[in-house]
Amino acid sequence: MQVNVDRDRCCSSGQCVMTAPEVFEQDERDGLVNVRPAALPAAFLADVRLAADLCPGGAISVTETDTRTDTTTETGADGPGTTD
């Protein structure tokens, strides 16, 4: 799982921080979102997906790679999609 944040799209609502505080934090200087850990444990996947869906600015995208089928699925505020 890879989480990307587009800080230009972030509107500082804090939905992600409330949904997955182990993964997201708000920068004290500007209030914009940051991703905490470099490698995200799979245990946080559901919370991270929900945070991406709740993000009003569409600033969060989640990319999951299924190594068995070599398929990448991306989830974000723009909706889920699958690419090969």
Side-chain angles (χ1 to χ4, degrees), residues 12-26 33-34 36 44 46-48 50-52 54-56 60:
S12 302
S13 73
Q15 292 294 322
C16 56
V17 176
M18 290 186 288
T19 304
E22 305 87 358
V23 178
F24 300 103
E25 66 183 0
Q26 283 183 283
V33 67
N34 288 317
R36 286 179 180 258
F44 297 127
D47 289 342
V48 171
L50 179 59
L54 292 174
C55 180
I60 301 168

